[in-house]
Amino acid sequence: MIKTVPTKPFADQKPGTSGLRKKVPVFQQKNYSENFIQSIFDSLEGFKGKTLVIGGDGRFHNREVIQTAVKMAAANGFGRVLVGQGGLLSTPAASHVIRKHKAFGGIVLSASHNPGGPDGDFGIKYNISNGGPAPEKITEAVFARTKVIDRYLISDAPDVALDRIGTNEIEGMRVQVFDPVADYQALMEELFDFDVIRDMFAGTFRMRFDAMHAITGPYARAILEKTLGAPEGTVVNGTPLPDFGGHHPDPNLVHAKALHDLMMAKEAPDFGAASDGDGDRNLIIGRNIFVTPSDSLALLSANAHLAPGYAKGIAGIARSMPTSMAADRVAERLKVKCYETPTGWKFFGNLLDAGLATICGEESAGTGSNHVREKDGLWAVLLWLNILGKRKESVENIVFQHWRDYGRNFYTRHDYEEVDTERANGLMNHIRGFLGKTDIPPLGSKTLVKSDDFAYHDPVDQSDSKGQGLRFLFKDGSRIIYRLSGTGTAGATIRVYIERYEPDPAKQGGDTQAALSDLIAIARNLAEIETRTGRSAPTVIT
Ligand code: G1P
Ligand code: ZN
């Protein structure tokens, strides 16, 4: 039976960079998830009888909300729901399934790389029929709806058997529980030369993939070990756990330290990689060398033609504004455009749909292409493997050669996490006061060419997005950028992005923090970070 349940609005359901993210106890409040899901449905039109994809990264509270979402989809009139077995579906796989099965949209339950467990984070995100995150037009409508919602619709049917592949029915709606890996793996086999990679594993080439007890475990085991012949044990932490084994499923040098240490050790394998909670991010480390996500974007773009899926070349590159400008140089050489968008994958969707960009990336360990409308961790790993198999060189050589050819963009991001929100806003306002000025004492001898609050005009739908980050651009190509995170769940996170271009091969070696030390000092002084936040050092440096 379909029930109409009266409810009252929650004031804090504004979707951020990537859907609604809150602590688990917030989502456990009565009607909290229901309100948000109903607000999504109320903001959409024309889905009666259509298909909805539902899945999540397996974190704590995943199964409960999957059941709720299925019963609400049935009550709201969807014709079919596709649910990943066990309620599992990586974010890129969800994007692919939405596209392949011509679904109306999808609900993805994830808080990405944020920690999980009873006190961890949870999230709900809506993706549209192109497989990508809902654009701002929709997320704003959802937010508006959450402020006035007074009822939701739900079926009182018993729970769906999530672990059994097969078809069930609720209120006349078909519920198909499917294998979350199969469609995705088939797509990867179309894009990449699996024979070349298989040959590599048949020889001496060895890798380690750290799934961080998150969603990519089953995908990586099926593809790397079972299909490509990598030895068993190549994939570590391969079983998804509701609390990710107590770790942050964030593939950076802090949370994937064990992988980094291994790759820097004498007995390091040839290639190391990791992915995050929901499988859309990637970490790439060669023996002896960490590849920054910005460099990885540039390198993958420059070498993509070595993979069958991109053999005809790429139409364009897109990067988020704070991502280093290394990709711009590749685009220039390939004679294609490089688009600069605000932070967040949703801004790439239009460019990909319109065929303007083929490969996209963000400094935050996200890379992907037009094969789906999300970033894709395993895709990046497989493209790297395909390139390594074709070039038969080490990661280190490939990166050094790239720097010699194009110059090196030294790049770092400093995060100050869980800063008091008012103080963080005060700091941003203080920086904003410098915009457009020429006399800024903390800049010392650096010559400023431009400072602004980044705004983006979408060339496809002509929409404008303002207030996307405070930028200071210098004459020598260096940049300092400040923004507040839109994905955190406690206080505010200040992100400071610092970049310097080095064309001279003789000066391209050495430690990144040292190479950027003068800009780092300027960035701290300009923002008065220490006095305003009380922090003498960043929480995380990437
Ligand atoms: C962060 C990253 C951004 C990414 C997003 C979702 O957002 O910076 O590049 O798209 O997570 O994975 P932020 O917290 O900076 O708003
Ligand atoms: Zn993620």
Side-chain angles (χ1 to χ4, degrees), residues 279-361:
D280 56 0
R281 295 188 176 204
N282 71 86
L283 171 69
I284 302 292
I285 315 181
R287 182 189 293 139
N288 257 325
I289 186 166
F290 159 62
V291 186
T292 69
S294 293
D295 275 348
S296 184
L297 171 66
L299 275 149
L300 292 179
S301 302
N303 291 282
H305 61 277
L306 298 174
Y310 309 92
K312 293 202 185 97
I314 57 176
I317 306 174
R319 63 162 175 85
S320 67
M321 181 275 284
T323 303
S324 100
M325 296 167 81
D328 302 42
R329 296 179 185 274
V330 174
E332 205 183 332
R333 186 112 26 124
L334 293 173
K335 298 197 169 46
V336 297
K337 244 186 123 158
C338 186
Y339 296 86
E340 187 176 40
T341 60
T343 295
W345 205 261
K346 62 187 171 211
F347 293 100
F348 295 136
N350 283 343
L351 299 172
L352 293 167
D353 282 351
L356 296 175
T358 305
I359 293 191
C360 308

Side-chain angles (χ1 to χ4, degrees), residues 468-536:
Q468 299 291 336
L470 309 179
R471 304 193 292 177
F472 294 84
L473 314 181
F474 301 101
K475 196 160 170 228
D476 61 0
S478 318
R479 304 191 302 165
I480 298 176
I481 295 152
Y482 303 87
R483 39 179 301 281
L484 293 184
S485 155
T487 57
T489 53
T493 294
I494 303 164
R495 300 203 198 281
V496 188
Y497 309 84
I498 297 156
E499 172 178 8
R500 179 169 74 78
Y501 179 63
E502 181 53 73
D504 181 357
K507 297 184 189 155
Q508 286 170 354
D511 173 60
T512 301
Q513 300 303 311
L516 294 172
S517 58
D518 58 333
L519 284 164
I520 292 172
I522 290 176
R524 286 181 60 84
N525 289 338
L526 183 77
E528 298 179 354
I529 291 184
E530 185 142 9
T531 43
R532 287 176 178 276
T533 66
R535 306 285 178 85
S536 55

Side-chain angles (χ1 to χ4, degrees), residues 112-113 276 278 280-281:
S112 188
H113 50 288
D276 72 330
D278 62 332
D280 56 0
R281 295 188 176 204

Side-chain angles (χ1 to χ4, degrees), residues 18-57:
S18 203
L20 181 68
R21 282 200 199 156
K22 301 281 173 196
K23 295 275 174 215
V24 166
V26 176
F27 272 102
Q28 284 170 327
Q29 296 173 85
K30 189 167 187 272
N31 296 344
Y32 194 86
S33 301
E34 288 83 349
N35 273 21
F36 191 70
I37 294 170
Q38 187 65 51
S39 297
I40 295 173
F41 294 157
D42 288 348
S43 309
L44 304 172
E45 262 169 40
F47 58 76
K48 293 271 181 270
K50 302 255 168 76
T51 300
L52 182 72
V53 173
I54 301 179
D57 63 12

Side-chain angles (χ1 to χ4, degrees), residues 96 100 181-191:
H96 177 53
K100 177 164 178 183
V181 178
D183 283 339
Y184 179 82
Q185 174 163 346
L187 176 64
M188 294 301 116
E189 292 188 31
E190 274 171 38
L191 296 176

Side-chain angles (χ1 to χ4, degrees), residues 175-252:
V175 182
Q176 278 173 257
V177 178
F178 68 97
D179 171 2
V181 178
D183 283 339
Y184 179 82
Q185 174 163 346
L187 176 64
M188 294 301 116
E189 292 188 31
E190 274 171 38
L191 296 176
F192 301 118
D193 193 333
F194 271 35
D195 288 336
V196 160
I197 306 175
R198 220 177 261 126
D199 283 351
M200 214 166 41
F201 281 124
T204 57
F205 183 87
R206 290 295 170 263
M207 80 173 279
R208 172 168 294 185
F209 181 86
D210 189 343
M212 306 190 90
H213 290 302
I215 192 72
T216 50
Y219 293 84
R221 278 193 180 138
I223 296 173
L224 298 174
E225 294 184 0
K226 298 215 176 69
T227 310
L228 291 168
E232 231 174 86
T234 295
V235 177
V236 296
N237 301 324
T239 305
L241 299 175
D243 67 347
F244 308 115
H247 301 291
H248 280 235
D250 191 351
N252 63 25

